[in-house]
Amino acid sequence: MARGPVPGKAWYVIRDFVHEVAPARVIFGSGSLDRVPDEIAALDLHRVLIIAGGSASAPGQRLERQLAPRVAGRFPEVAQHVPEQLVHQAVAMATDTGADGLCSIGGGSATGLAKALAALLELPVVAVPTTYAGSEATSVYGITGERKRTATDARVRPRTVIYDPALTTGLPARETATSGFNAVAHATAALCGPAYEPAARLYAGEAIRTIARALPVAVRAPDDLDARGDLLWAAWLAGSALAATGTGLHHRLCHVLGGGFGLVHAEIHAALLAHTVAADQTLATGPVAHALGADEATTGLRDLARRTGAPDSLAAIGMPADRLDAAARLAADMIGGHDQAWFRGLLDRAHSDTTERTPS
Ligand code: NAD
């Protein structure tokens, strides 16, 4: 399978592929939160449940006022990994208020709750993302009870996505850095994973190049709207690329650790990515190294972590060493493809911060 320059030719050749893009309307621009009411009207929605809590409470309240006659209410709580309990409460509110659509403002937690409701109630979603998680571009959603379960359903993918860089200047430096790594992880899966989709690779390469340039700037200068805009653009590219190709070992391991050990989703991406890239033999990592401007993908990822202050080991994000065995067992059980000892080796390296290649 040709993945690099073809011997004897100075260019890449296109191999057989399938390209399928779900329709989505994307509005991008500083101040574009004010365009939500028009977009809601264009979708002919009359009773919209706004999902906006925590850091998105203020824009959520503002939208509630702007949208007044078309608002069913505002659900003010969101949480990582979409806890089942929260889904029940939000379903009750959407049902009681007769909601005919959903509008989420916030990071992947808000988008994720809206997508879970969309799956259960068959309601359209308008998403206003404020991190680089990229969930707004995919048809994947998750709900966490005893374990985190994910599913794919084209109906949950937001119909309209509104990117407003001005909403993201308050994202703290650590969350900015780790969320940026979440997007890099999406792009890495699309750029060098076994699924081949050349348009997605184009998106993914551009996403990584943009993040490598803009992420250190946004961490240093959170109010830099150009850097914030570039990062939202990259998040959309990376999420769209992932939607076209699907995830791999890295993402599955992030879900196992996030759902089972209470770690923060974006932090797990930052902590694990260089280690999973070193261990996953199905990846052809040259294009990622190239996009990062490094000799090796792992070196480039570690350098990006150093320049942005992102945590780059499981120890740095609070994973206790005495839970690694349980995590390896769960990973072998839920992901498969390798035994518990292999996952333990990978997790040990990720915990102690070395990117030596895990034996296959
Ligand atoms: P998040 O939405 O929980 O946000 C992280 C933190 O940043 C929160 O404290 C939030 O209040 C704060 N925050 C968000 N935007 C802010 C802003 N603009 N200013 C100030 N603070 C802000 O976390 P996340 O990393 O965006 O999303 C994680 C969730 O998304 C996980 O549940 C993950 O599984 C899911 N996810 C799903 C997909 C998918 O395709 N289904 C993709 C990526 C992530």
Side-chain angles (χ1 to χ4, degrees), residues 81-176:
H81 310 302
V82 191
E84 218 163 35
Q85 181 69 13
L86 217 52
V87 176
H88 293 319
Q89 290 169 16
V91 162
M93 185 168 180
T95 311
D96 292 349
T97 57
D100 64 357
L102 305 161
C103 178
S104 61
I105 309 177
S109 297
T111 314
L113 180 58
K115 287 164 82 175
L117 290 193
L120 296 169
L121 302 174
E122 298 193 23
L123 296 177
V125 177
V126 171
V128 185
T130 63
T131 67
Y132 315 123
S135 174
E136 65 281 359
T138 81
S139 302
V140 179
Y141 71 100
I143 298 177
T144 305
E146 232 168 75
R147 281 184 180 185
K148 183 166 184 174
R149 287 166 286 121
T150 58
T152 303
D153 182 338
R155 292 171 306 173
V156 309
R157 189 173 163 137
R159 296 273 192 91
T160 305
V161 181
I162 296 177
Y163 288 109
D164 184 345
L167 292 178
T168 64
T169 53
L171 191 64
R174 184 171 168 111
E175 281 78 1
T176 297

Side-chain angles (χ1 to χ4, degrees), residues 3 8 40 73 87 130 166 195 212 217 226 247 267 287 294 301 315 321 347 349:
R3 281 237 190 81
I40 297 282
V87 176
T130 63
V217 178
D226 291 338
T247 60
E267 295 205 344
L301 291 167
L347 291 171
R349 290 167 207 273

